[in-house]
Amino acid sequence: MISKEYPFVEWGVLFRPDKEGQPRYARMDWVEGVLGKFWRKSNGSMRLAAHLCGERVNEVLRGEPDFLTKIAGLGFRRVQINATEVNGVDTSNLSEKAGVLATLMSQFPFLEFIIQRSDETAPLWKTLEVINPPNMSMLFDESKGTGVLSSNGYPVPPKDYEVGYAGGIGPNNIKDVLNKALESARGRSVWVDMESSLRSELNREDIFDLNKCMVCVNKVCEMGLFGDTEIH
């Protein structure tokens, strides 16, 4: 099992109600059943992150705790807030909604909340930077979840929170990306996030490709980074 042999790997699950069951978007019965079985079998060591899109983001921006309570009970310990229009989110008045989100975050101190950081989400993350919740981190992703490689390099992590990097990262360039990201990190721990590059077409279906995952894992190990870098 990958999680057992390579505990730095985290599995991100996309949640968006209007696309549930479509490629990339998990069905809740699968999360509670199949994924839950693997998580329990790992004795809770399998690392899970809930990547919220669409109405799931709108819910947390309204301060609604129900879905967070549910996924926390299923073993998720990180929650990514993809507050962008392409992800089906109402992005109006994000700065006003930041305080509501910060209050909700305080109700779940055992969860880490990852804020997708881009120009579009600036009203949200800039306000949260001022509030500075202790369980906040951020994901640099100017592609806004569309899988485009960053043209602006990898920013130095701010001192107040941890960061990850996303956008166009995959098996073909992960070594180069990690070298650049770790140079920017200046000794800080960072993570990288991949989605589109880890998928393949099989029998005309869009599937998550574990073989591509293992290519990335093996390259991390070849670089001697086992335990220092997280792959999501």
Side-chain angles (χ1 to χ4, degrees):
M1 190 176 182
I2 295 176
S3 292
K4 181 178 179 180
E5 297 296 326
Y6 307 98
F8 58 88
V9 174
E10 179 183 71
W11 306 96
V13 181
L14 285 166
F15 292 98
R16 180 171 171 173
D18 63 324
K19 293 192 174 186
E20 185 173 318
Q22 297 181 28
R24 304 184 186 221
Y25 299 93
R27 299 192 319 271
M28 280 308 301
D29 63 333
W30 180 86
V31 174
E32 294 171 332
V34 176
L35 186 61
K37 179 181 179 181
F38 280 113
W39 181 74
R40 290 188 296 273
K41 188 175 181 180
S42 76
N43 293 318
S45 64
M46 184 179 187
R47 301 175 64 176
L48 300 175
H51 291 209
L52 307 189
C53 303
E55 185 59 20
R56 293 305 182 201
V57 174
N58 294 331
E59 289 169 355
V60 297
L61 293 179
R62 292 193 297 263
E64 299 173 10
D66 292 355
F67 189 70
L68 294 178
T69 300
K70 184 171 187 175
I71 59 175
L74 295 171
F76 289 84
R77 290 297 175 264
R78 301 217 304 168
V79 179
Q80 183 167 305
I81 312 297
N82 296 323
T84 60
E85 188 174 349
V86 72
N87 282 306
V89 175
D90 176 8
T91 58
S92 61
N93 302 315
L94 284 179
S95 60
E96 296 178 11
K97 296 170 182 176
V100 176
L101 177 57
T103 298
L104 183 64
M105 292 165 66
S106 70
Q107 298 172 28
F108 294 87
F110 53 89
L111 295 179
E112 179 182 336
F113 288 82
I114 307 165
I115 309 302
Q116 192 180 64
R117 177 170 165 156
S118 67
D119 55 353
E120 183 181 1
T121 62
L124 181 65
W125 64 259
K126 285 185 177 181
T127 306
L128 284 170
E129 273 193 329
V130 175
I131 301 171
N132 196 22
N135 53 338
M136 177 184 72
S137 59
M138 293 198 193
L139 179 72
F140 285 103
D141 183 10
E142 278 302 332
S143 77
K144 306 174 184 65
T146 60
V148 178
L149 190 66
S150 172
S151 60
N152 298 320
Y154 300 93
V156 175
K159 64 181 180 63
D160 292 329
Y161 52 83
E162 303 302 321
V163 305
Y165 303 100
I169 306 170
N172 294 329
N173 64 8
I174 188 171
K175 281 189 173 182
D176 182 56
V177 167
L178 283 174
N179 280 326
K180 292 177 179 177
L182 291 172
E183 182 178 355
S184 294
R186 301 175 183 176
R188 297 268 298 277
S189 294
V190 296
W191 76 91
V192 292
D193 182 295
M194 293 172 279
E195 182 189 342
S196 299
S197 66
L198 300 182
R199 304 192 69 85
S200 296
E201 184 175 310
L202 180 65
N203 298 325
R204 298 184 178 180
E205 291 188 7
D206 178 14
I207 65 163
F208 182 61
D209 193 332
L210 285 174
N211 291 323
K212 290 183 175 180
C213 289
M214 283 308 304
V215 171
C216 293
V217 168
N218 288 332
K219 288 186 176 182
V220 168
C221 293
E222 289 170 6
M223 295 176 70
L225 299 177
F226 193 140
D228 295 326
T229 303
E230 301 174 13
I231 305 297
H232 302 190

